[in-house]
Amino acid sequence: MSLIRKVIGIVFVSCSVASFSSAVAAESAYLLESADQVAAMQLAIASPGRFTDEFNKQRQRIDAILDALINIPVPADAGGGYTHEVHKQNYVNMRMAGRLYLLTQDDKYLNYVKSHLNGYAAMYPSLPLHPKKKEQTPGKLFWQSLNEAMWLVHVIQAYDAVKDSLSAQEQQYIETQLFEPMVDYLSEQSPDTFNKVHNHGTWATAAVGMSGYVLDKPEWVEKSLYGLDLSGKGGFMRQLDELFSPQGYYNEGPYYQRFALLPFVIFAQAIDNNEPERKIFEHRDEILTKATNATVQLSYGGLFFGINDAIKDKGINTIELVHGIAIAYNLDPQSGLLKIAEEQDTILLTGYGLSVAQALDEQKQTAYPFESIVFSDGLNGDEGALVVLRQNQSEAHQTLVFKATSQGLGHGHFDKLHYMFYNQGKEIVYDYGAARFLNIEAKYGGHYLPENNAYAKQTIAHNTLIVDETSHFDGNTSTGNKYHPDMLFTELDEHLQISSASMSNAYDNIVFDRTMALVNAPSGKIFVIDILNVDSQGQHQYDLPVHFYGQYIDSNVAMNANTTTQSPLGSQNGYQYLWLQAQGKPVDELARVTWLKDSTFYSHSTVVENGQELLMVRIGANDPNFNLIANQALINRVKGAGDHQFLSVLEAHGEYNGAKEFTRDAASQITELRDVSNETSEGLTLIKISFGEAEQYVLAINANAANEQSKMTFEYAGSNHVITGNAELLQLAN
Amino acid sequence: MSLIRKVIGIVFVSCSVASFSSAVAAESAYLLESADQVAAMQLAIASPGRFTDEFNKQRQRIDAILDALINIPVPADAGGGYTHEVHKQNYVNMRMAGRLYLLTQDDKYLNYVKSHLNGYAAMYPSLPLHPKKKEQTPGKLFWQSLNEAMWLVHVIQAYDAVKDSLSAQEQQYIETQLFEPMVDYLSEQSPDTFNKVHNHGTWATAAVGMSGYVLDKPEWVEKSLYGLDLSGKGGFMRQLDELFSPQGYYNEGPYYQRFALLPFVIFAQAIDNNEPERKIFEHRDEILTKATNATVQLSYGGLFFGINDAIKDKGINTIELVHGIAIAYNLDPQSGLLKIAEEQDTILLTGYGLSVAQALDEQKQTAYPFESIVFSDGLNGDEGALVVLRQNQSEAHQTLVFKATSQGLGHGHFDKLHYMFYNQGKEIVYDYGAARFLNIEAKYGGHYLPENNAYAKQTIAHNTLIVDETSHFDGNTSTGNKYHPDMLFTELDEHLQISSASMSNAYDNIVFDRTMALVNAPSGKIFVIDILNVDSQGQHQYDLPVHFYGQYIDSNVAMNANTTTQSPLGSQNGYQYLWLQAQGKPVDELARVTWLKDSTFYSHSTVVENGQELLMVRIGANDPNFNLIANQALINRVKGAGDHQFLSVLEAHGEYNGAKEFTRDAASQITELRDVSNETSEGLTLIKISFGEAEQYVLAINANAANEQSKMTFEYAGSNHVITGNAELLQLAN
């Protein structure tokens, strides 16, 4: 059977794409694969292996529904509702039936796809706008055009697989009644979305461009690439140029990055397969490969860093990234990508999926090279950065994520110079992510909850500075979009990984900078140093929260607990959602809180200055519908201060072993933490951290170093020391 | 080397135990193994496999500390403190060094054990009672004699391994200065503990009896078996007769059962190895094998059911159960035990450990046969029961645990007719377990927290009836120990597993009974039916809490939430630890709460009667040190009622899939839940449960059935039906 098909495929090449102009001569029989690849897939399913396992699984799944009544309901429901879900399921099943037809040439799959296409063709031309339409971006089959574009990206693949087996009359009916009107609706009739440099635009251009290849409409491809007016002001190429930073960081963060990825890579695959001369994957210094790898690098323990409006259970196993990794592997077969593919545990029945499946069968995977990376943000990479500092490449490694990015558009949070910390495969110091229960009707229809704007986006929901209980940019996204942090320096040395950034304009007349370091001490100790300086006019209240997962163990601060009545911490800007559990005035030099998460203890210590207080809070006030997750935070608070420094260290220490009934090092190891800058040359920052007498460090920072090689000598404690570049971790002799 | 040792072993047999009387003729060269077993172990480490891997791991670990200074500090600290931990570590290391000497005959291990024994012998005779002694059960090396007995159980194994290689003078010194005084202290000088029928007594008798075999003191063995006066009123045999129910259930619950298990099985192994004619493992219908298997059956997802004073991270991988499973496997090589051994992932360097290691190398393990079991409680099995109802044997199976046991002595909770529910490998409706952070000094020295008595033991911390905000037996353990529930019936049929019990005396003039069923409907639906009837004089307030893990999704009850100020639910009996978050009066026939845990939705629905209210609470009030875990519960409350029925159904339904972005069946499927007993013959209970029109059930209960075969015919809804035995699940025809 596969041999017959190969011939058909070749015949198909010569007739189906002949009308492409010579400038865009199509090279391939199919939308996403060459005829050779299709033949290889047909051959592969005769032998055991992952590809065949997946084929059998999908065949079983589709065979079970082949005889079901065709269900193409008149659009009625919004996202998550019945008709919405049925049309989603239909596009998934049509695409898969198309795949199975490609692999088996069994007419039952052809008929399944054909009946559905005819059914949709019979309905589509007469559809009005969706009754539950979203005002700005309405669809017809779905409440928003985004879903309509997703439908088309999938279904055009199904049509591609069967088109050749349909009569000219059948083709004409389906194309004129379904695909042409839908393409017209998504492009000419929805110019704002189509031309928008935004992921909705990517879905639309991908859908239309892919349809152009299948229906032999080069003009659709051109519009998709360069915008409706072909000017290049909109369209896919512009999106490639603007939606990613030079390092492949997507402005809205990894959650939306992986969502945006599918139309990017699949349309690029279609372009490369049909018009390799466009060298689409080489565009902008291989931006799509970079973006795919960035998405992986922006994960920990299999889950994406939960910044901005992230749904926190999303990770590298999402279908978008399965396609991305497989396509990237086909472009450049790096064995580390196979490790990710193995963890994704999903095989694709495509040409590029076959390469991955076979390589996994041969056990070619090696560890994915997770690294410390500065993902600079913005079109030119000069609008702040997301800084990822990883201890090493082990599965349990500690990771510090320093969020000095720009706002991230509508899905961005007011969280300038925020951070998260990960250890042993889990998030420890957390970002709340989005307040949303995706697809759960009972929770506000599965939409972003009102608490997303009111709490989750607000600064107090993050681990960064809040001035006077007001969010950055006063909680105004368009103001936020205008500004970004300035990166001061980053150094990634063996024992010291450090990054520093400054933020102006988050508050009027206040500038704050933050320097965060992940220290891998020669002794084996690992800890985070956090220096947050506020430069201010006038007197203000400063809050610096640390949201942590785990069970509070103890604190050296005697706190007054609100044991018999609890009230919210504030009245607005997210503060109204926090129960104030306890607060106290530290008497020691450090305010410390220790907690236990799984088998590790964590201690957060902050130098006490300016009458600082420690507050313990739990999420849940003003939440009558239990829309928020009742987690906790500690807050260091200073009132009536001008300039101020929050100097903190976060340690992961000790072990709690319940099964073996032992505990070690349950208490913080830090005996001293001080800014000793005044004991050395002007302009340097010196932070002293001691773990008893035997292990003492000085973190020396020269913010003004000309470059990473420039050296500066300074005296401290009677000896001379040298800073190379911006920062140095010195261990003091005993 | 192994051959040489074998000869030595045989020589050892003939000289070392010759003085045993003919009635207790020792058969073995070693305390726990025959000479043949030791030879087999010596042979095994020459070949690759699990046993050799463990040998190499332990050798590496011990070799690394052989040259360290011997550290035998003068006892000073309580549990978890420095000297406590050092002496614990010493006994673990001495035992292991002894094992390595047995395996290798390498003198370095002999010297390690010998030096430590000499060190302890030099200190022990002059030790006063421990400075931090527990008043009732003081130790010398440790704060309590329990730890001293544990030390001896381990160290006597080390001595057993090296004794033969010591000179007569060395032996005499160690025996007269260390073991004899310690045995004397643990037995003659601590008669209350030694004779006590309690797990502390088991450790003491095991330590003394095992020492008797090694030091050739048959009189120590006799005292251990039959008490100091040899009357049989105390001692190991009495403990075997009284501490387990006929099914091997240990009165204090599985957490203490696994703790108690080690001295039981290891002393029994020593008895069997030295005096097989005692047939110790056959005693009381093989009670020790039953107890070992019961410990496994009392687990879910690898963790023990967290009833009574359980630390909830304890499970089948604890070292006690590793010994128990290996010894059980040696007695009767059931392949299911190997599955548990595989999950324990710990190989023992003992004779019985070798059998397990080799069987695992040969991959002989098969699924452990988890079953639905009624663990009757009490010496004669007539003091209530712990009823475990399992849906099936899959890893993700649903399990209902109905706790109709007796009080469980000092570690028991006031939780008569309480229940827990498990699904997908996790606890869903939970038991709080103990309020304790074991070995965490900062948390009340690692002891049971004050909140253990004040909250965790109280009835409100459980999922059962609380009358007038007062705990069962008014929170008095000695009163609780006098009473127990009466089991009414249990039936374990394919589609219906049901158990019923009644409780008097928990409250004056109030009797309540509860019938709980796990339904495996033919349609595939699985749900729990819960019928709790209160028979009362006078008017009372009844609370029925359901403590659940997961995120609240919604309720059909409009509740008034305490959004801006929160107060405790009550002032005593544990109520003072609960924040009242919200409460409301149901208007529908059912009060329903739906929550999401991992990927599954759960709905709890209770029929609304007698002006019932629904309350939502979260743990954390009056907890200034954050000693409690801030979880949540729903409470159905009725005020001023006399007789009352709480009729509830718990459903696990639907799926939330974040990675694949779909949700199905997020809402409760139940459309009707009613007690329709008044529509049929007197004396029957009929509960109707409908999932729409198409799927309707009637649970019919005949509490007075003579036996499981007796049949009763009744009429309902115009048809005749038959109950066989006590209960029947009928599906109504459409």
Side-chain angles (χ1 to χ4, degrees):
Chain A
M1 191 178 289
S2 66
L3 284 178
I4 295 171
R5 177 59 189 169
K6 193 171 180 182
V7 174
I8 293 172
I10 290 169
V11 172
F12 180 62
V13 171
S14 60
C15 63
S16 162
V17 297
S19 64
F20 263 80
S21 72
S22 60
V24 291
E27 308 249 330
S28 189
Y30 296 97
L31 178 61
L32 298 172
E33 288 110 350
S34 67
D36 283 352
Q37 281 179 303
V38 172
M41 289 158 65
Q42 292 169 342
L43 197 62
I45 57 172
S47 314
R50 282 174 172 75
F51 193 81
T52 303
D53 290 347
E54 180 65 17
F55 164 70
N56 286 327
K57 192 173 120 190
Q58 293 296 344
R59 183 169 58 172
Q60 199 170 19
R61 188 176 74 78
I62 296 295
D63 284 357
I65 57 171
L66 283 178
D67 295 333
L69 283 178
I70 293 175
N71 182 12
I72 302 179
V74 174
D77 302 319
Y82 174 74
T83 67
H84 182 94
E85 291 302 318
V86 168
H87 291 303
K88 267 177 75 175
Q89 203 54 53
N90 278 349
Y91 74 59
V92 169
N93 291 340
M94 289 165 77
R95 176 183 168 277
M96 187 50 65
R99 287 280 119 186
L100 294 175
Y101 184 64
L102 207 63
L103 291 169
T104 64
Q105 293 295 295
D106 189 326
D107 279 351
K108 63 186 179 185
Y109 303 119
L110 167 66
N111 291 333
Y112 182 89
V113 174
K114 188 167 70 176
S115 327
H116 279 82
L117 289 172
N118 284 331
Y120 276 103
M123 179 172 76
Y124 195 81
S126 62
L127 281 184
L129 290 185
H130 192 282
K132 297 273 176 65
K133 65 177 184 283
K134 281 201 166 179
E135 278 311 322
Q136 302 305 313
T137 55
K140 291 182 165 184
L141 272 181
F142 295 92
W143 66 328
Q144 58 177 344
S145 62
L146 172 65
N147 299 103
E148 201 119 329
M150 292 169 81
W151 189 94
L152 183 52
V153 163
H154 286 78
V155 174
I156 200 64
Q157 295 178 53
Y159 183 59
D160 174 59
V162 304
K163 178 183 175 184
D164 183 41
S165 303
L166 301 178
S167 68
Q169 194 181 351
E170 286 170 331
Q171 290 182 27
Q172 196 197 0
Y173 177 68
I174 291 165
E175 294 184 6
T176 59
Q177 299 302 298
L178 178 59
F179 291 121
E180 290 177 10
M182 190 181 278
V183 161
D184 186 59
Y185 178 70
L186 288 173
S187 56
E188 299 295 341
Q189 293 181 47
S190 308
D192 288 351
T193 301
F194 190 82
N195 285 331
K196 197 170 188 182
V197 183
H198 180 274
N199 78 68
H200 287 209
T202 312
W203 279 101
T205 53
V208 169
M210 288 166 72
S211 301
Y213 286 119
V214 176
L215 271 68
D216 191 14
K217 305 274 194 187
E219 65 276 19
W220 291 359
V221 176
E222 289 297 319
K223 284 181 190 172
S224 292
L225 292 174
Y226 298 108
L228 286 178
D229 63 0
L230 304 182
S231 70
K233 286 180 189 162
F236 190 71
M237 301 310 289
R238 183 72 181 267
Q239 291 159 9
L240 283 178
D241 288 342
E242 295 202 359
L243 286 179
F244 299 101
S245 83
Q247 267 129 338
Y249 179 76
Y250 184 78
N251 189 259
E252 296 186 301
Y255 175 76
Y256 277 91
Q257 175 143 354
R258 65 80 218 169
F259 178 69
L261 200 64
L262 186 59
F264 272 114
V265 296
I266 211 156
F267 185 27
Q269 173 69 20
I271 296 168
D272 197 51
N273 191 53
N274 288 281
E275 300 182 88
E277 61 279 11
R278 289 196 190 263
K279 297 185 191 301
I280 190 74
F281 284 114
E282 292 173 33
H283 185 75
R284 204 181 162 205
D285 203 13
E286 303 183 351
I287 191 67
L288 278 179
T289 308
K290 283 182 178 166
T292 300
N293 273 289
T295 314
V296 177
Q297 294 281 1
L298 292 168
S299 73
Y300 182 91
L303 297 177
F304 297 128
F305 298 140
I307 57 174
N308 295 335
D309 276 348
I311 306 287
K312 297 191 66 177
D313 50 15
K314 276 285 182 187
I316 58 169
N317 63 344
T318 54
I319 191 67
E320 299 89 347
L321 198 52
V322 174
H323 283 273
I325 290 292
I327 289 171
Y329 181 76
N330 272 259
L331 290 169
D332 182 4
Q334 304 229 7
S335 55
L337 292 171
L338 293 175
K339 181 72 186 170
I340 302 300
E342 184 187 25
E343 290 172 12
Q344 290 172 333
D345 198 25
T346 299
I347 295 298
L348 298 170
L349 298 181
T350 61
Y352 47 88
L354 176 60
S355 311
V356 168
Q358 290 178 335
L360 285 175
D361 286 345
E362 293 165 27
Q363 301 198 293
K364 288 184 177 171
Q365 66 273 29
T366 60
Y368 184 85
F370 283 104
E371 291 175 339
S372 294
I373 298 180
V374 179
F375 290 96
S376 60
D377 196 3
L379 176 56
N380 299 313
D382 56 1
E383 298 176 15
L386 189 77
V387 181
V388 180
L389 305 180
R390 294 184 192 264
Q391 177 200 350
N392 55 39
Q393 297 187 355
S394 72
E395 283 199 13
H397 71 268
Q398 300 188 9
T399 293
L400 176 68
V401 177
F402 180 35
K403 187 171 186 289
T405 66
S406 63
Q407 182 67 18
L409 308 179
H411 290 299
H413 287 194
F414 302 102
D415 61 354
K416 304 303 104 183
L417 310 191
H418 160 56
Y419 82 98
M420 292 103 80
F421 180 72
Y422 299 80
N423 190 21
Q424 297 192 310
K426 303 244 183 91
E427 191 172 17
I428 306 299
V429 174
Y430 73 87
D431 185 310
Y432 189 90
R436 181 182 192 185
F437 294 89
L438 185 65
N439 292 328
I440 299 184
E441 187 68 27
K443 284 297 194 200
Y444 205 62
H447 303 294
Y448 286 103
L449 291 156
E451 289 81 4
N452 192 56
N453 281 330
Y455 173 71
K457 279 188 177 175
Q458 300 296 322
T459 310
I460 188 61
H462 301 84
N463 307 305
T464 188
L465 179 74
I466 305 106
V467 176
D468 297 333
E469 304 190 17
T470 305
S471 288
H472 298 169
F473 312 115
D474 210 10
N476 184 312
T477 297
S478 60
T479 310
N481 285 336
K482 290 185 202 156
Y483 303 104
H484 58 78
D486 291 311
M487 295 308 297
L488 301 178
F489 63 87
T490 300
E491 282 193 16
L492 306 178
D493 298 332
E494 184 186 352
H495 297 303
L496 177 68
Q497 301 185 74
I498 187 166
S499 187
S500 186
S502 173
M503 187 69 214
S504 309
N505 303 109
Y507 295 105
D508 291 342
N509 302 316
I510 291 179
V511 175
F512 63 102
D513 64 63
R514 193 171 201 171
T515 305
M516 300 207 71
L518 180 64
V519 176
N520 246 328
S523 68
K525 278 216 173 53
I526 302 152
F527 51 96
V528 171
I529 304 172
D530 174 16
I531 312 163
L532 193 152
N533 294 304
V534 191
D535 184 359
S536 146
Q537 292 177 12
Q539 294 200 320
H540 302 281
Q541 174 184 299
Y542 303 131
D543 284 345
L544 183 56
V546 179
H547 294 77
F548 61 95
Y549 288 130
Q551 174 64 34
Y552 174 103
I553 295 295
D554 76 341
S555 171
N556 67 338
V557 180
M559 285 183 275
N560 292 315
N562 297 319
T563 53
T564 56
T565 181
Q566 252 184 193
S567 303
L569 180 61
S571 60
Q572 56 184 353
N573 303 324
Y575 280 71
Q576 69 273 34
Y577 295 101
L578 301 175
W579 293 115
L580 175 59
Q581 299 178 293
Q583 67 189 117
K585 282 253 184 208
V587 293
D588 298 342
E589 289 176 2
L590 298 179
R592 179 184 47 70
V593 174
T594 298
W595 68 91
L596 173 65
K597 169 67 178 159
D598 299 332
S599 60
T600 303
F601 295 92
Y602 299 86
S603 287
H604 186 273
S605 303
T606 299
V607 173
V608 175
E609 276 191 15
N610 293 330
Q612 190 172 315
E613 286 178 287
L614 179 67
L615 285 65
M616 296 296 306
V617 298
R618 185 175 289 282
I619 300 166
N622 283 295
D623 184 20
N625 299 317
F626 302 92
N627 281 345
L628 293 171
I629 300 168
N631 289 323
Q632 68 201 326
L634 65 92
I635 301 177
N636 280 294
R637 166 172 288 185
V638 175
K639 287 178 180 166
D643 293 352
H644 182 76
Q645 179 185 69
F646 286 103
L647 172 58
S648 310
V649 166
L650 174 66
E651 311 159 80
H653 56 87
E655 180 179 0
Y656 168 79
N657 190 318
K660 296 191 176 164
E661 291 200 357
F662 71 82
T663 294
R664 60 173 184 78
D665 295 341
S668 165
Q669 315 282 300
I670 290 205
T671 52
E672 183 184 21
L673 171 64
R674 278 198 301 138
D675 188 322
V676 294
S677 305
N678 60 355
E679 300 176 24
T680 190
S681 327
E682 193 81 23
L684 295 187
T685 299
L686 290 195
I687 305 295
K688 187 174 179 202
I689 306 123
S690 305
F691 298 90
E693 289 296 313
E695 190 172 353
Q696 304 194 337
Y697 300 94
V698 167
L699 172 63
I701 299 172
N702 175 15
N704 302 315
N707 57 54
E708 286 194 17
Q709 280 70 47
S710 63
K711 289 179 188 296
M712 171 161 181
T713 302
F714 68 97
E715 192 187 315
Y716 174 71
S719 304
N720 281 330
H721 307 275
V722 176
I723 305 177
T724 305
N726 289 104
E728 205 75 41
L729 183 75
L730 309 166
Q731 183 160 8
L732 300 182
N734 287 326
Chain B
M1 189 178 288
S2 66
L3 285 178
I4 294 172
R5 177 58 192 167
K6 193 171 180 182
V7 174
I8 294 173
I10 290 167
V11 171
F12 178 63
V13 172
S14 61
C15 65
S16 161
V17 296
S19 66
F20 261 82
S21 74
S22 61
V24 290
E27 309 248 330
S28 187
Y30 295 97
L31 178 60
L32 298 171
E33 286 110 350
S34 67
D36 283 352
Q37 281 180 302
V38 173
M41 289 159 64
Q42 291 169 342
L43 197 64
I45 58 172
S47 314
R50 282 173 172 77
F51 194 81
T52 303
D53 291 346
E54 180 66 17
F55 164 71
N56 287 328
K57 191 174 119 188
Q58 293 295 344
R59 184 168 61 172
Q60 200 170 19
R61 188 175 75 78
I62 296 295
D63 285 357
I65 58 170
L66 284 178
D67 296 332
L69 284 177
I70 293 174
N71 182 14
I72 302 181
V74 174
D77 303 320
Y82 172 73
T83 67
H84 181 95
E85 292 300 318
V86 169
H87 291 303
K88 266 176 72 174
Q89 201 55 54
N90 279 347
Y91 74 58
V92 169
N93 291 341
M94 290 166 76
R95 175 183 170 278
M96 187 49 67
R99 287 280 118 188
L100 295 175
Y101 183 63
L102 206 65
L103 291 170
T104 65
Q105 292 295 296
D106 189 326
D107 280 351
K108 63 186 180 185
Y109 303 119
L110 168 65
N111 292 332
Y112 181 89
V113 174
K114 188 165 71 175
S115 327
H116 277 82
L117 288 171
N118 284 329
Y120 276 104
M123 180 173 75
Y124 196 80
S126 63
L127 282 183
L129 291 185
H130 193 281
K132 297 273 176 65
K133 66 176 185 284
K134 283 203 166 178
E135 279 309 320
Q136 300 306 312
T137 56
K140 291 181 163 186
L141 274 181
F142 295 93
W143 67 328
Q144 58 175 345
S145 61
L146 171 65
N147 300 103
E148 202 119 330
M150 292 169 81
W151 188 94
L152 183 52
V153 163
H154 286 78
V155 174
I156 200 65
Q157 296 179 54
Y159 183 58
D160 174 59
V162 304
K163 177 182 176 186
D164 184 41
S165 305
L166 301 178
S167 69
Q169 196 181 352
E170 288 171 329
Q171 290 183 27
Q172 197 198 0
Y173 177 68
I174 291 165
E175 295 185 6
T176 60
Q177 299 302 300
L178 178 58
F179 291 122
E180 291 178 10
M182 189 179 278
V183 162
D184 187 57
Y185 179 69
L186 289 173
S187 55
E188 300 294 340
Q189 294 180 46
S190 307
D192 287 351
T193 301
F194 189 83
N195 286 330
K196 198 170 186 179
V197 183
H198 180 273
N199 78 67
H200 288 208
T202 312
W203 279 100
T205 54
V208 169
M210 289 167 70
S211 301
Y213 286 118
V214 176
L215 269 70
D216 191 14
K217 303 275 192 186
E219 65 276 19
W220 293 358
V221 176
E222 290 296 319
K223 284 181 190 172
S224 292
L225 294 174
Y226 299 108
L228 287 176
D229 63 1
L230 305 182
S231 70
K233 287 179 189 161
F236 189 72
M237 301 309 291
R238 184 72 183 266
Q239 290 158 10
L240 283 179
D241 287 343
E242 294 201 359
L243 285 179
F244 299 101
S245 81
Q247 267 129 339
Y249 178 75
Y250 185 77
N251 188 260
E252 296 186 301
Y255 174 76
Y256 278 90
Q257 174 144 354
R258 65 80 220 169
F259 178 67
L261 201 64
L262 185 59
F264 272 113
V265 296
I266 211 157
F267 185 27
Q269 173 69 19
I271 296 168
D272 198 50
N273 191 52
N274 288 280
E275 301 181 87
E277 61 279 11
R278 289 195 191 262
K279 299 185 188 303
I280 190 73
F281 284 115
E282 292 174 31
H283 184 75
R284 203 181 162 204
D285 203 14
E286 303 183 350
I287 190 68
L288 278 179
T289 308
K290 282 183 179 164
T292 301
N293 273 290
T295 314
V296 177
Q297 294 282 0
L298 292 168
S299 73
Y300 182 91
L303 298 177
F304 297 128
F305 298 140
I307 56 173
N308 296 333
D309 276 350
I311 307 288
K312 297 190 66 177
D313 50 16
K314 277 285 182 185
I316 58 169
N317 63 344
T318 55
I319 191 67
E320 298 89 347
L321 198 53
V322 175
H323 284 273
I325 290 294
I327 289 172
Y329 180 75
N330 272 259
L331 290 170
D332 182 4
Q334 304 230 5
S335 55
L337 293 170
L338 294 174
K339 181 69 187 173
I340 302 301
E342 183 187 28
E343 289 172 12
Q344 290 172 334
D345 199 24
T346 298
I347 294 298
L348 298 170
L349 298 181
T350 61
Y352 48 88
L354 175 61
S355 309
V356 168
Q358 291 179 333
L360 286 175
D361 287 345
E362 293 166 26
Q363 301 197 295
K364 287 183 176 172
Q365 65 272 29
T366 59
Y368 184 85
F370 283 104
E371 290 175 338
S372 295
I373 298 180
V374 180
F375 290 98
S376 60
D377 196 2
L379 176 56
N380 300 312
D382 55 2
E383 298 177 15
L386 190 76
V387 181
V388 180
L389 305 180
R390 295 185 192 265
Q391 177 200 351
N392 55 38
Q393 297 189 354
S394 72
E395 284 199 12
H397 70 268
Q398 301 189 8
T399 293
L400 175 69
V401 178
F402 178 37
K403 187 171 185 289
T405 67
S406 62
Q407 182 67 17
L409 307 179
H411 290 299
H413 287 194
F414 302 102
D415 61 354
K416 303 304 101 184
L417 312 191
H418 161 56
Y419 82 99
M420 293 102 79
F421 180 73
Y422 300 80
N423 191 19
Q424 296 192 312
K426 303 245 182 90
E427 191 172 17
I428 306 299
V429 173
Y430 73 88
D431 185 307
Y432 189 91
R436 182 182 192 184
F437 293 91
L438 186 65
N439 293 326
I440 299 183
E441 188 68 28
K443 284 298 192 199
Y444 204 63
H447 303 293
Y448 286 103
L449 291 157
E451 290 80 5
N452 192 55
N453 281 330
Y455 174 70
K457 279 188 177 176
Q458 301 296 322
T459 310
I460 187 62
H462 301 85
N463 307 306
T464 187
L465 178 75
I466 306 105
V467 177
D468 297 334
E469 303 190 19
T470 305
S471 288
H472 298 169
F473 312 116
D474 209 10
N476 184 311
T477 298
S478 59
T479 309
N481 285 337
K482 290 184 201 155
Y483 303 104
H484 59 78
D486 292 310
M487 295 308 297
L488 300 179
F489 64 85
T490 300
E491 282 192 14
L492 306 177
D493 298 331
E494 185 186 352
H495 296 302
L496 176 69
Q497 301 184 74
I498 187 166
S499 187
S500 185
S502 171
M503 187 68 213
S504 310
N505 303 111
Y507 295 105
D508 291 342
N509 302 317
I510 292 179
V511 175
F512 63 103
D513 63 65
R514 192 170 202 171
T515 304
M516 300 207 70
L518 180 63
V519 175
N520 245 331
S523 69
K525 278 217 172 53
I526 302 152
F527 51 95
V528 172
I529 305 171
D530 174 15
I531 312 163
L532 194 153
N533 295 305
V534 192
D535 182 358
S536 148
Q537 292 177 10
Q539 292 200 322
H540 302 280
Q541 174 183 299
Y542 303 130
D543 283 346
L544 183 56
V546 179
H547 294 77
F548 60 94
Y549 287 129
Q551 174 64 35
Y552 174 103
I553 294 296
D554 76 342
S555 171
N556 67 337
V557 180
M559 285 184 275
N560 291 316
N562 297 317
T563 53
T564 56
T565 181
Q566 250 183 194
S567 303
L569 180 61
S571 59
Q572 56 184 356
N573 303 325
Y575 279 72
Q576 69 272 36
Y577 295 100
L578 300 175
W579 292 117
L580 175 60
Q581 299 178 293
Q583 66 190 118
K585 282 254 182 206
V587 292
D588 297 343
E589 290 177 2
L590 298 179
R592 180 185 46 72
V593 174
T594 298
W595 68 91
L596 173 66
K597 169 67 178 158
D598 300 330
S599 60
T600 304
F601 295 91
Y602 299 87
S603 287
H604 185 272
S605 303
T606 300
V607 172
V608 175
E609 276 192 15
N610 293 329
Q612 190 172 315
E613 286 179 286
L614 179 67
L615 285 65
M616 295 297 304
V617 299
R618 184 175 290 282
I619 300 167
N622 283 294
D623 184 21
N625 299 315
F626 302 92
N627 281 345
L628 294 172
I629 300 169
N631 289 322
Q632 70 202 326
L634 65 92
I635 301 177
N636 280 295
R637 168 173 285 185
V638 175
K639 287 177 180 168
D643 293 352
H644 182 75
Q645 180 185 69
F646 286 104
L647 172 58
S648 309
V649 166
L650 175 65
E651 309 159 81
H653 55 88
E655 181 178 1
Y656 168 78
N657 191 319
K660 295 192 177 164
E661 291 200 355
F662 71 81
T663 295
R664 61 171 184 78
D665 295 342
S668 164
Q669 314 282 299
I670 290 206
T671 52
E672 183 185 22
L673 171 63
R674 277 198 301 138
D675 187 323
V676 294
S677 305
N678 60 356
E679 299 175 27
T680 188
S681 328
E682 193 80 21
L684 295 186
T685 299
L686 290 196
I687 306 295
K688 186 175 180 201
I689 306 122
S690 305
F691 299 89
E693 289 295 314
E695 191 174 353
Q696 305 195 335
Y697 300 95
V698 167
L699 171 63
I701 299 172
N702 174 15
N704 301 315
N707 58 54
E708 286 193 18
Q709 280 70 47
S710 63
K711 290 181 188 296
M712 172 163 179
T713 302
F714 68 97
E715 192 186 317
Y716 174 70
S719 305
N720 280 329
H721 307 276
V722 176
I723 306 176
T724 304
N726 288 106
E728 205 76 40
L729 183 74
L730 309 167
Q731 183 159 8
L732 301 182
N734 288 326

